[in-house]
Amino acid sequence: MQVGVLALQGAFQEHQKMLADCGVKSLQVRKDLQLEDISALIIPGGESTTIGKLLQEYNLFKPIIRMAGKGLPIFGTCAGMIMLAQVINGSQQPRLGLMEICVDRNAFGRQVNSFEEDLNIPALGVEPFRAVFIRAPYVTDVSVNVEVLVRCDGKIVLVRQGKFLAAAFHPELTGDIRLHRYFIENCL
Ligand code: GLN
């Protein structure tokens, strides 16, 4: 088994390191045919408008949506969460739209307002999870099909809908592999 990491922009190498620490092989994904060789896909943080443009340039939009329809599990972090959202409040920018969530971009403030927070995420056990927020989005609305896994300051920042998982923060930056392991164990 290997997990693909969309490698067009952003912190894809850090995600690969986390997967390696979970004992899982990874593959940098830039071509549609590579989607056939992976058991799951991670969409890293970065800039969602840029990722959207690059997905179009690399002709990856339709292939990813098609594979998701066939059951490919996908984990989106930060900009990756925005790509997964059906609704991006106030924006028509391209997105995969696979999760029944509405998000606000840059919702916690600008870069200077990036912050870290210890979150209690019951799904990951009792140890708090250090979450790094960098110009992060949060979820403003979810459908009944979406499980809210944690809130920060009352805002929804981690959600799951079946095989899809989305985090507003950057779990690849702290060395805590529990969220990647959760994805592999529960969404695949
Ligand atoms: N602010 C970025 C966006 O709107 C996301 C930031 C990130 O991924 N760290 O796409």
Side-chain angles (χ1 to χ4, degrees):
M1 178 189 80
Q2 61 180 355
V3 172
V5 182
L6 187 68
L8 304 179
Q9 196 229 11
F12 51 89
Q13 280 165 331
E14 287 81 352
H15 278 291
Q16 289 188 283
K17 165 94 173 57
M18 300 299 277
L19 291 167
D21 290 349
C22 291
V24 171
K25 277 205 291 182
S26 65
L27 176 73
Q28 295 185 4
V29 171
R30 297 190 185 85
K31 292 200 169 84
D32 57 351
L33 281 178
Q34 292 174 307
L35 297 169
E36 308 284 344
D37 300 330
I38 55 175
S39 305
L41 179 68
I42 293 180
I43 303 178
E47 190 60 41
S48 57
T49 50
T50 306
I51 295 174
K53 271 193 207 121
L54 291 170
L55 281 175
Q56 278 169 334
E57 261 172 47
Y58 284 70
N59 290 317
L60 278 169
F61 256 107
K62 280 192 186 147
I64 292 176
I65 292 170
R66 193 180 59 238
M67 291 304 287
K70 287 207 267 175
L72 182 73
I74 303 182
F75 178 19
T77 62
C78 203
M81 168 188 259
I82 297 168
M83 295 311 300
L84 286 174
Q86 265 177 10
V87 177
I88 304 169
N89 297 319
S91 171
Q92 293 306 315
Q93 68 188 81
R95 83 285 315 256
L96 295 164
L98 296 167
M99 293 183 76
E100 294 166 354
I101 58 175
C102 307
V103 298
D104 262 352
R105 290 182 61 198
N106 302 320
F108 287 103
R110 299 177 65 83
Q111 185 80 24
V112 58
N113 294 324
S114 296
F115 62 99
E116 297 186 15
E117 190 80 28
D118 283 326
L119 301 178
N120 285 308
I121 308 177
L124 301 185
V126 287
E127 267 305 284
F129 189 93
R130 187 98 181 141
V132 180
F133 293 84
I134 304 171
R135 291 186 303 124
Y138 60 63
V139 177
T140 58
D141 258 304
V142 297
S143 85
V144 289
N145 302 317
V146 176
E147 192 182 346
V148 174
L149 295 175
V150 79
R151 292 170 191 260
C152 175
D153 207 12
K155 315 295 190 196
I156 299 168
V157 292
L158 180 63
V159 285
R160 175 176 173 197
Q161 182 175 0
K163 289 173 179 284
F164 305 132
L165 181 69
F169 48 89
H170 286 262
E172 77 284 12
L173 296 181
T174 54
D176 188 336
I177 62 170
R178 284 180 293 161
L179 195 51
H180 287 77
R181 205 168 51 203
Y182 173 87
F183 174 59
I184 291 158
E185 285 176 358
N186 294 279
C187 299
L188 269 68

